[in-house]
Amino acid sequence: MLELAVLGLLHESPMHGYELRKRLTSLLGAFRAAFSYGSLYPTLKRLKEAGYIAEDAGDPDQLVPPLTGKRGRIVYKLTAEGKERFADLLAQAGPETYEDSGFGVHFAFFSRLDQAQRLRILEGRRRRIEERREGLRETLTRSVERLDAYTLELQRHGLDACEREVRWLNELIVSEQSGRPPSVTTVGGSNNPEPQAPSVEEASPAEPDAARKEEN
């Protein structure tokens, strides 16, 4: 999935390694677990050897972030073969695309897919989350008397997150089927034409809701 994310970002514009790291974090957001920084430069090296990207020393007069080192000053850009590889990877919609990291990376580049491809991925993701939801329901039904209060609350939190994501996916699927772009109301109350990925809690139901409930 890191290969797809890197190729997708470089498809937009050439970048220094430091900038690429920042964009990966910003782009993937809640799904940033799909990659680790330690694997970024080995991935860039592999993509270069495969002919999908090329290195450029860049403009010597261009300002680069301090303390980035020699590698941070190299500009990475996509080749023609890299563009074809990105299109091929993005079009793949197998079972791995329905998992958290695979779905997150594909969703980040959804605008580059056609309607049929988007619907296939959204429907596959919905089935996967519905399976996860039913599993949690079964666990709660069978184990409610044997779980302590905190474990029980964690299971309920995961179930709530699944319910929210299923509703979100249903809305996206209806929008795709109607041929209208999704419209999401932001916190400020304005409409954002781009769909928003679920929050960290929604994307990873197994994660506990840490001390975010603390009052000022």
Side-chain angles (χ1 to χ4, degrees):
M1 288 305 144
L2 179 56
E3 178 182 353
L4 173 60
V6 169
L7 293 176
L9 286 175
L10 293 181
H11 197 289
E12 299 174 1
S13 66
M15 296 184 194
H16 294 284
Y18 177 83
E19 181 184 4
L20 188 55
R21 286 177 55 176
K22 290 181 61 178
R23 288 294 307 280
L24 282 168
T25 300
S26 174
L27 177 72
L28 299 181
F31 301 100
R32 58 182 173 271
F35 75 96
S36 64
Y37 288 134
S39 61
L40 175 57
Y41 284 104
T43 298
L44 289 171
K45 180 180 179 181
R46 179 171 55 83
L47 293 176
K48 178 187 173 186
E49 292 173 348
Y52 298 142
I53 65 174
E55 292 182 356
D56 191 334
D59 184 352
D61 296 327
Q62 182 181 4
L63 292 177
V64 296
L67 304 178
T68 56
K70 182 178 179 181
R71 288 191 306 184
R73 296 175 180 273
I74 296 174
V75 176
Y76 299 92
K77 58 184 180 181
L78 207 60
T79 64
E81 292 80 4
K83 292 179 180 179
E84 294 180 1
R85 175 63 173 170
F86 171 66
D88 290 341
L89 289 175
L90 191 60
Q92 295 175 10
E96 71 281 354
T97 312
Y98 312 146
E99 301 298 338
D100 292 347
S101 60
F103 175 73
V105 175
H106 274 76
F107 192 80
F109 302 107
F110 244 33
S111 62
R112 296 183 178 273
L113 294 173
D114 61 36
Q115 182 190 47
Q117 292 171 317
R118 290 194 295 264
L119 275 172
R120 185 165 62 250
I121 294 175
L122 289 171
E123 290 170 350
R125 174 65 174 180
R126 181 174 62 181
R127 289 194 299 271
R128 188 57 47 85
I129 298 303
E130 287 175 338
E131 292 171 358
R132 186 182 298 175
R133 179 187 61 185
E134 295 309 310
L136 286 169
R137 282 177 176 171
E138 183 178 352
T139 298
L140 283 169
T141 300
R142 290 188 291 104
S143 310
V144 64
E145 296 181 354
R146 294 184 284 110
L147 297 176
D148 63 66
Y150 295 101
T151 303
L152 184 60
E153 184 62 22
L154 178 61
Q155 295 295 318
R156 287 174 175 166
H157 170 67
L159 180 58
D160 288 344
C162 287
E163 294 282 9
R164 290 194 298 271
E165 184 165 355
V166 168
R167 290 194 297 270
W168 176 70
L169 290 166
N170 284 337
E171 293 172 358
L172 286 173
I173 289 171
V174 169
S175 294
E176 288 294 337
Q177 291 173 335
S178 66
R180 299 192 311 269
S183 179
V184 178
T185 300
T186 63
V187 176
S190 60
N191 286 335
N192 184 349
E194 294 295 329
Q196 292 181 342
S199 65
V200 174
E201 291 79 9
E202 294 168 340
S204 305
E207 291 295 328
D209 191 4
R212 294 173 53 208
K213 299 180 180 179
E214 181 180 353
E215 298 293 337
N216 293 327

